[in-house]
Amino acid sequence: MKFIEDITDFIFVEHKPEKADIIFIPGGNQGAIALPASELFRQGYAPYILPSGRFSKPVGHCTIPGYETEWEFLRDILVEQGVLPEAILREQQATFT
């Protein structure tokens, strides 16, 4: 049915990655978002990654055990995934990315 195919194409849009100056990761306590970013970095899509985040403003502190900021948490995941520390830019003031 053409109608269902058209709806499916509209809802499930996929874009191939393109080269960029920076890969941006919004802040948060879910580290899974750092995994595709590290993969894109290793594949050469960008020379830098910018994880963002201090903590959630309504909570008032970082809820990730052992971390002062969400940025530190994301940085550690990126380094574990093979991203060079010097390629990770710092933004650790945002409370609403």
Side-chain angles (χ1 to χ4, degrees):
M1 296 169 69
K2 179 80 169 118
F3 175 74
I4 293 176
E5 289 176 19
D6 289 343
I7 295 286
T8 301
D9 290 344
F10 177 76
I11 293 173
F12 299 103
V13 176
E14 289 189 33
H15 297 282
K16 294 187 188 266
E18 295 182 19
K19 297 259 182 180
D21 296 324
I22 290 176
I23 298 167
F24 177 74
I25 304 174
N29 61 3
Q30 301 298 315
I33 195 167
L35 301 178
S38 65
E39 180 64 26
L40 290 169
F41 174 83
R42 288 192 310 272
Q43 291 177 7
Y45 282 98
Y48 299 102
I49 296 183
L50 176 59
S52 177
R54 184 174 178 194
F55 49 71
S56 172
K57 189 173 185 175
V59 175
H61 65 279
C62 184
T63 60
I64 305 162
Y67 290 95
E68 294 284 321
T69 67
E70 295 165 352
W71 177 85
E72 293 171 310
F73 172 65
L74 295 168
R75 177 209 52 208
D76 284 355
I77 293 170
L78 292 169
V79 170
E80 287 173 8
Q81 294 298 312
V83 176
L84 304 171
E86 57 270 18
I88 302 171
L89 304 177
R90 182 183 305 236
E91 190 301 297
Q92 55 186 23
Q93 296 302 311
T95 55
F96 283 112
T97 308

Short mmCIF file of all heavy atoms in Angstrom, two decimals, residues 8-59:
data_model
loop_
_atom_site.label_atom_id
_atom_site.label_comp_id
_atom_site.label_asym_id
_atom_site.label_seq_id
_atom_site.Cartn_x
_atom_site.Cartn_y
_atom_site.Cartn_z
N THR A 8 5.58 5.68 6.37
CA THR A 8 6.78 5.08 6.93
C THR A 8 8.02 5.88 6.54
O THR A 8 8.88 6.16 7.37
CB THR A 8 6.92 3.61 6.47
OG1 THR A 8 5.76 2.90 6.91
CG2 THR A 8 8.16 2.96 7.05
N ASP A 9 8.11 6.26 5.28
CA ASP A 9 9.25 7.07 4.82
C ASP A 9 9.31 8.41 5.54
O ASP A 9 10.39 8.92 5.83
CB ASP A 9 9.19 7.28 3.31
CG ASP A 9 9.47 6.01 2.53
OD1 ASP A 9 10.00 5.06 3.12
OD2 ASP A 9 9.14 5.98 1.33
N PHE A 10 8.16 8.99 5.83
CA PHE A 10 8.11 10.28 6.51
C PHE A 10 8.54 10.15 7.97
O PHE A 10 9.30 10.96 8.48
CB PHE A 10 6.69 10.86 6.44
CG PHE A 10 6.54 12.16 7.18
CD1 PHE A 10 7.04 13.33 6.64
CD2 PHE A 10 5.91 12.19 8.41
CE1 PHE A 10 6.92 14.52 7.33
CE2 PHE A 10 5.78 13.39 9.10
CZ PHE A 10 6.28 14.55 8.56
N ILE A 11 8.07 9.12 8.65
CA ILE A 11 8.35 8.96 10.07
C ILE A 11 9.78 8.48 10.32
O ILE A 11 10.45 8.95 11.22
CB ILE A 11 7.34 7.97 10.71
CG1 ILE A 11 5.95 8.60 10.69
CG2 ILE A 11 7.75 7.62 12.13
CD1 ILE A 11 4.86 7.66 11.14
N PHE A 12 10.26 7.54 9.54
CA PHE A 12 11.56 6.95 9.76
C PHE A 12 12.58 7.48 8.76
O PHE A 12 13.05 6.78 7.88
CB PHE A 12 11.47 5.41 9.68
CG PHE A 12 10.55 4.84 10.72
CD1 PHE A 12 9.28 4.42 10.38
CD2 PHE A 12 10.95 4.76 12.03
CE1 PHE A 12 8.42 3.90 11.34
CE2 PHE A 12 10.11 4.24 13.00
CZ PHE A 12 8.83 3.82 12.65
N VAL A 13 12.93 8.74 8.93
CA VAL A 13 13.91 9.37 8.06
C VAL A 13 15.31 9.03 8.58
O VAL A 13 15.57 9.11 9.76
CB VAL A 13 13.72 10.90 8.05
CG1 VAL A 13 14.80 11.58 7.24
CG2 VAL A 13 12.34 11.26 7.52
N GLU A 14 16.16 8.64 7.68
CA GLU A 14 17.55 8.38 8.04
C GLU A 14 18.44 9.26 7.18
O GLU A 14 18.22 9.40 5.99
CB GLU A 14 17.91 6.92 7.83
CG GLU A 14 17.27 6.00 8.83
CD GLU A 14 17.81 4.58 8.74
OE1 GLU A 14 19.00 4.42 8.41
OE2 GLU A 14 17.04 3.66 8.98
N HIS A 15 19.42 9.85 7.83
CA HIS A 15 20.39 10.66 7.11
C HIS A 15 21.77 10.04 7.32
O HIS A 15 22.12 9.64 8.42
CB HIS A 15 20.40 12.10 7.65
CG HIS A 15 19.11 12.80 7.46
ND1 HIS A 15 18.73 13.34 6.25
CD2 HIS A 15 18.11 13.07 8.32
CE1 HIS A 15 17.55 13.89 6.38
NE2 HIS A 15 17.15 13.75 7.63
N LYS A 16 22.51 9.99 6.26
CA LYS A 16 23.88 9.51 6.39
C LYS A 16 24.71 10.60 7.05
O LYS A 16 24.51 11.78 6.77
CB LYS A 16 24.44 9.16 5.01
CG LYS A 16 23.74 7.98 4.38
CD LYS A 16 24.43 7.56 3.11
CE LYS A 16 23.61 6.51 2.41
NZ LYS A 16 23.96 5.18 2.72
N PRO A 17 25.64 10.23 7.92
CA PRO A 17 26.47 11.25 8.56
C PRO A 17 27.32 12.00 7.53
O PRO A 17 27.71 11.43 6.51
CB PRO A 17 27.36 10.45 9.50
CG PRO A 17 26.90 9.05 9.47
CD PRO A 17 25.95 8.90 8.34
N GLU A 18 27.57 13.26 7.82
CA GLU A 18 28.43 14.08 6.98
C GLU A 18 29.55 14.64 7.85
O GLU A 18 29.40 14.76 9.06
CB GLU A 18 27.63 15.23 6.38
CG GLU A 18 26.56 14.78 5.42
CD GLU A 18 25.81 15.95 4.81
OE1 GLU A 18 26.34 17.09 4.85
OE2 GLU A 18 24.70 15.74 4.32
N LYS A 19 30.65 14.98 7.22
CA LYS A 19 31.77 15.59 7.94
C LYS A 19 31.30 16.89 8.60
O LYS A 19 30.48 17.61 8.06
CB LYS A 19 32.93 15.90 6.98
CG LYS A 19 33.51 14.66 6.34
CD LYS A 19 34.77 14.27 7.02
CE LYS A 19 35.33 13.04 6.29
NZ LYS A 19 36.54 12.58 6.88
N ALA A 20 31.83 17.14 9.80
CA ALA A 20 31.45 18.33 10.56
C ALA A 20 32.67 18.86 11.30
O ALA A 20 33.71 18.20 11.38
CB ALA A 20 30.35 17.98 11.54
N ASP A 21 32.53 20.05 11.86
CA ASP A 21 33.61 20.64 12.66
C ASP A 21 33.65 20.04 14.06
O ASP A 21 34.70 19.89 14.66
CB ASP A 21 33.45 22.15 12.76
CG ASP A 21 33.57 22.83 11.40
OD1 ASP A 21 34.38 22.37 10.57
OD2 ASP A 21 32.84 23.81 11.17
N ILE A 22 32.45 19.74 14.59
CA ILE A 22 32.33 19.25 15.96
C ILE A 22 31.15 18.28 16.04
O ILE A 22 30.14 18.47 15.36
CB ILE A 22 32.06 20.42 16.93
CG1 ILE A 22 33.29 21.30 17.07
CG2 ILE A 22 31.61 19.93 18.30
CD1 ILE A 22 33.05 22.52 17.93
N ILE A 23 31.29 17.28 16.89
CA ILE A 23 30.17 16.41 17.24
C ILE A 23 29.69 16.87 18.61
O ILE A 23 30.46 16.88 19.58
CB ILE A 23 30.61 14.93 17.30
CG1 ILE A 23 31.11 14.47 15.94
CG2 ILE A 23 29.45 14.06 17.81
CD1 ILE A 23 31.85 13.15 15.97
N PHE A 24 28.45 17.29 18.71
CA PHE A 24 27.89 17.81 19.95
C PHE A 24 27.09 16.73 20.68
O PHE A 24 26.31 16.01 20.05
CB PHE A 24 26.97 19.00 19.65
CG PHE A 24 26.30 19.56 20.87
CD1 PHE A 24 27.02 20.32 21.78
CD2 PHE A 24 24.96 19.32 21.11
CE1 PHE A 24 26.41 20.83 22.91
CE2 PHE A 24 24.34 19.83 22.24
CZ PHE A 24 25.07 20.59 23.14
N ILE A 25 27.32 16.62 21.98
CA ILE A 25 26.56 15.68 22.81
C ILE A 25 25.83 16.50 23.87
O ILE A 25 26.47 17.12 24.72
CB ILE A 25 27.47 14.66 23.50
CG1 ILE A 25 28.31 13.89 22.49
CG2 ILE A 25 26.63 13.70 24.34
CD1 ILE A 25 29.33 12.97 23.15
N PRO A 26 24.50 16.51 23.86
CA PRO A 26 23.78 17.22 24.91
C PRO A 26 24.00 16.55 26.26
O PRO A 26 24.17 15.34 26.34
CB PRO A 26 22.32 17.16 24.48
CG PRO A 26 22.24 16.15 23.41
CD PRO A 26 23.62 15.90 22.89
N GLY A 27 23.98 17.35 27.32
CA GLY A 27 24.20 16.83 28.65
C GLY A 27 23.09 15.89 29.09
O GLY A 27 22.00 15.86 28.53
N GLY A 28 23.39 15.12 30.11
CA GLY A 28 22.43 14.19 30.65
C GLY A 28 23.14 13.08 31.39
O GLY A 28 24.37 12.97 31.33
N ASN A 29 22.37 12.27 32.07
CA ASN A 29 22.98 11.19 32.85
C ASN A 29 22.93 9.84 32.12
O ASN A 29 23.18 8.81 32.71
CB ASN A 29 22.34 11.08 34.23
CG ASN A 29 20.86 10.78 34.16
OD1 ASN A 29 20.30 10.58 33.08
ND2 ASN A 29 20.22 10.74 35.31
N GLN A 30 22.58 9.88 30.85
CA GLN A 30 22.54 8.66 30.04
C GLN A 30 23.78 8.62 29.13
O GLN A 30 23.86 9.35 28.16
CB GLN A 30 21.27 8.61 29.19
CG GLN A 30 20.00 8.66 30.01
CD GLN A 30 19.88 7.47 30.94
OE1 GLN A 30 20.13 6.34 30.55
NE2 GLN A 30 19.53 7.73 32.19
N GLY A 31 24.72 7.80 29.46
CA GLY A 31 25.97 7.75 28.72
C GLY A 31 25.88 7.13 27.34
O GLY A 31 26.80 7.26 26.54
N ALA A 32 24.76 6.48 27.04
CA ALA A 32 24.63 5.79 25.75
C ALA A 32 24.79 6.73 24.57
O ALA A 32 25.25 6.33 23.51
CB ALA A 32 23.28 5.07 25.67
N ILE A 33 24.44 8.00 24.74
CA ILE A 33 24.54 8.95 23.64
C ILE A 33 26.01 9.19 23.24
O ILE A 33 26.30 9.59 22.11
CB ILE A 33 23.84 10.27 23.99
CG1 ILE A 33 23.62 11.10 22.74
CG2 ILE A 33 24.59 11.03 25.06
CD1 ILE A 33 22.67 12.26 22.93
N ALA A 34 26.93 8.92 24.14
CA ALA A 34 28.36 9.11 23.82
C ALA A 34 28.89 8.01 22.90
O ALA A 34 29.90 8.21 22.22
CB ALA A 34 29.17 9.15 25.11
N LEU A 35 28.23 6.87 22.87
CA LEU A 35 28.74 5.75 22.06
C LEU A 35 28.69 6.03 20.56
O LEU A 35 29.72 5.88 19.88
CB LEU A 35 28.00 4.47 22.42
CG LEU A 35 28.11 4.05 23.89
CD1 LEU A 35 27.31 2.79 24.15
CD2 LEU A 35 29.56 3.87 24.30
N PRO A 36 27.55 6.45 19.99
CA PRO A 36 27.58 6.77 18.56
C PRO A 36 28.47 7.97 18.25
O PRO A 36 29.10 8.03 17.19
CB PRO A 36 26.12 7.04 18.20
CG PRO A 36 25.40 7.23 19.48
CD PRO A 36 26.20 6.54 20.54
N ALA A 37 28.57 8.91 19.19
CA ALA A 37 29.45 10.06 18.97
C ALA A 37 30.91 9.61 18.88
O ALA A 37 31.66 10.07 18.02
CB ALA A 37 29.27 11.08 20.10
N SER A 38 31.31 8.69 19.76
CA SER A 38 32.69 8.20 19.70
C SER A 38 32.96 7.42 18.42
O SER A 38 34.04 7.52 17.84
CB SER A 38 33.02 7.35 20.93
OG SER A 38 32.24 6.18 20.96
N GLU A 39 31.96 6.68 17.96
CA GLU A 39 32.11 5.94 16.71
C GLU A 39 32.28 6.90 15.53
O GLU A 39 33.13 6.69 14.67
CB GLU A 39 30.91 5.02 16.50
CG GLU A 39 30.97 4.21 15.23
CD GLU A 39 32.12 3.21 15.18
OE1 GLU A 39 32.60 2.77 16.24
OE2 GLU A 39 32.57 2.88 14.07
N LEU A 40 31.47 7.94 15.49
CA LEU A 40 31.60 8.94 14.42
C LEU A 40 32.97 9.61 14.46
O LEU A 40 33.59 9.84 13.44
CB LEU A 40 30.49 9.98 14.52
CG LEU A 40 29.09 9.48 14.19
CD1 LEU A 40 28.05 10.53 14.58
CD2 LEU A 40 28.97 9.12 12.72
N PHE A 41 33.46 9.89 15.67
CA PHE A 41 34.79 10.48 15.81
C PHE A 41 35.86 9.53 15.26
O PHE A 41 36.72 9.93 14.48
CB PHE A 41 35.08 10.80 17.28
CG PHE A 41 36.49 11.27 17.51
CD1 PHE A 41 36.83 12.59 17.28
CD2 PHE A 41 37.48 10.38 17.90
CE1 PHE A 41 38.14 13.02 17.47
CE2 PHE A 41 38.78 10.80 18.09
CZ PHE A 41 39.11 12.13 17.87
N ARG A 42 35.81 8.27 15.67
CA ARG A 42 36.81 7.29 15.21
C ARG A 42 36.77 7.11 13.70
O ARG A 42 37.79 6.81 13.09
CB ARG A 42 36.63 5.95 15.93
CG ARG A 42 37.04 5.99 17.39
CD ARG A 42 37.12 4.61 18.01
NE ARG A 42 35.96 3.78 17.78
CZ ARG A 42 34.86 3.76 18.55
NH1 ARG A 42 34.79 4.53 19.61
NH2 ARG A 42 33.86 2.96 18.26
N GLN A 43 35.60 7.30 13.10
CA GLN A 43 35.47 7.18 11.65
C GLN A 43 35.89 8.46 10.92
O GLN A 43 35.86 8.50 9.70
CB GLN A 43 34.04 6.81 11.28
CG GLN A 43 33.65 5.41 11.70
CD GLN A 43 32.21 5.09 11.39
OE1 GLN A 43 31.49 5.85 10.73
NE2 GLN A 43 31.76 3.95 11.86
N GLY A 44 36.27 9.49 11.67
CA GLY A 44 36.80 10.70 11.06
C GLY A 44 35.76 11.72 10.63
O GLY A 44 36.05 12.59 9.82
N TYR A 45 34.56 11.67 11.20
CA TYR A 45 33.53 12.63 10.81
C TYR A 45 33.74 14.01 11.38
O TYR A 45 33.21 14.99 10.86
CB TYR A 45 32.13 12.11 11.16
CG TYR A 45 31.65 11.08 10.18
CD1 TYR A 45 31.77 9.73 10.44
CD2 TYR A 45 31.11 11.47 8.96
CE1 TYR A 45 31.34 8.78 9.53
CE2 TYR A 45 30.68 10.53 8.04
CZ TYR A 45 30.80 9.19 8.33
OH TYR A 45 30.39 8.26 7.40
N ALA A 46 34.50 14.13 12.46
CA ALA A 46 34.81 15.44 13.04
C ALA A 46 36.08 15.32 13.88
O ALA A 46 36.34 14.27 14.47
CB ALA A 46 33.65 15.94 13.90
N PRO A 47 36.86 16.41 13.96
CA PRO A 47 38.09 16.36 14.74
C PRO A 47 37.88 16.59 16.24
O PRO A 47 38.78 16.37 17.03
CB PRO A 47 38.93 17.48 14.14
CG PRO A 47 37.93 18.46 13.60
CD PRO A 47 36.76 17.63 13.16
N TYR A 48 36.68 17.06 16.62
CA TYR A 48 36.40 17.36 18.03
C TYR A 48 35.02 16.86 18.42
O TYR A 48 34.12 16.77 17.60
CB TYR A 48 36.43 18.87 18.28
CG TYR A 48 37.76 19.51 17.98
CD1 TYR A 48 37.95 20.21 16.81
CD2 TYR A 48 38.82 19.38 18.87
CE1 TYR A 48 39.16 20.80 16.52
CE2 TYR A 48 40.05 19.96 18.58
CZ TYR A 48 40.22 20.66 17.41
OH TYR A 48 41.43 21.22 17.13
N ILE A 49 34.89 16.59 19.72
CA ILE A 49 33.60 16.26 20.31
C ILE A 49 33.37 17.25 21.45
O ILE A 49 34.27 17.51 22.25
CB ILE A 49 33.55 14.83 20.85
CG1 ILE A 49 33.71 13.82 19.71
CG2 ILE A 49 32.24 14.57 21.58
CD1 ILE A 49 33.60 12.37 20.15
N LEU A 50 32.14 17.77 21.53
CA LEU A 50 31.78 18.70 22.60
C LEU A 50 30.65 18.12 23.44
O LEU A 50 29.48 18.29 23.12
CB LEU A 50 31.37 20.05 22.02
CG LEU A 50 30.87 21.09 23.03
CD1 LEU A 50 31.93 21.39 24.08
CD2 LEU A 50 30.44 22.35 22.32
N PRO A 51 31.00 17.40 24.51
CA PRO A 51 29.96 17.00 25.45
C PRO A 51 29.59 18.23 26.29
O PRO A 51 30.45 19.05 26.60
CB PRO A 51 30.61 15.92 26.31
CG PRO A 51 32.06 15.94 25.99
CD PRO A 51 32.29 16.88 24.86
N SER A 52 28.34 18.34 26.63
CA SER A 52 27.87 19.51 27.37
C SER A 52 27.22 19.06 28.66
O SER A 52 26.64 17.98 28.74
CB SER A 52 26.87 20.28 26.51
OG SER A 52 26.35 21.38 27.21
N GLY A 53 27.28 19.90 29.67
CA GLY A 53 26.47 19.64 30.84
C GLY A 53 27.15 19.78 32.18
O GLY A 53 28.23 19.26 32.41
N ARG A 54 26.48 20.53 33.03
CA ARG A 54 26.87 20.63 34.43
C ARG A 54 26.01 19.65 35.23
O ARG A 54 26.49 18.65 35.73
CB ARG A 54 26.66 22.06 34.92
CG ARG A 54 27.13 22.30 36.31
CD ARG A 54 27.02 23.77 36.65
NE ARG A 54 27.42 24.02 38.01
CZ ARG A 54 27.17 25.14 38.63
NH1 ARG A 54 26.52 26.12 38.01
NH2 ARG A 54 27.56 25.31 39.87
N PHE A 55 24.72 19.97 35.34
CA PHE A 55 23.76 19.09 35.98
C PHE A 55 22.37 19.62 35.70
O PHE A 55 22.21 20.70 35.13
CB PHE A 55 23.99 18.97 37.49
CG PHE A 55 24.16 20.28 38.21
CD1 PHE A 55 23.09 21.15 38.40
CD2 PHE A 55 25.39 20.66 38.70
CE1 PHE A 55 23.24 22.35 39.07
CE2 PHE A 55 25.57 21.86 39.37
CZ PHE A 55 24.48 22.71 39.55
N SER A 56 21.37 18.87 36.09
CA SER A 56 19.99 19.27 35.88
C SER A 56 19.64 20.40 36.85
O SER A 56 19.76 20.23 38.06
CB SER A 56 19.06 18.09 36.09
OG SER A 56 17.71 18.51 36.06
N LYS A 57 19.22 21.52 36.32
CA LYS A 57 18.92 22.68 37.16
C LYS A 57 17.87 22.39 38.23
O LYS A 57 18.05 22.78 39.38
CB LYS A 57 18.49 23.85 36.28
CG LYS A 57 18.38 25.14 37.03
CD LYS A 57 18.12 26.29 36.08
CE LYS A 57 18.12 27.60 36.82
NZ LYS A 57 18.00 28.72 35.91
N PRO A 58 16.76 21.69 37.90
CA PRO A 58 15.78 21.42 38.96
C PRO A 58 16.34 20.58 40.12
O PRO A 58 15.94 20.75 41.26
CB PRO A 58 14.66 20.68 38.24
CG PRO A 58 14.79 21.07 36.81
CD PRO A 58 16.26 21.27 36.59
N VAL A 59 17.27 19.68 39.82
CA VAL A 59 17.85 18.84 40.87
C VAL A 59 18.92 19.60 41.64
O VAL A 59 19.04 19.48 42.85
CB VAL A 59 18.45 17.54 40.25
CG1 VAL A 59 19.17 16.72 41.30
CG2 VAL A 59 17.35 16.73 39.58
#
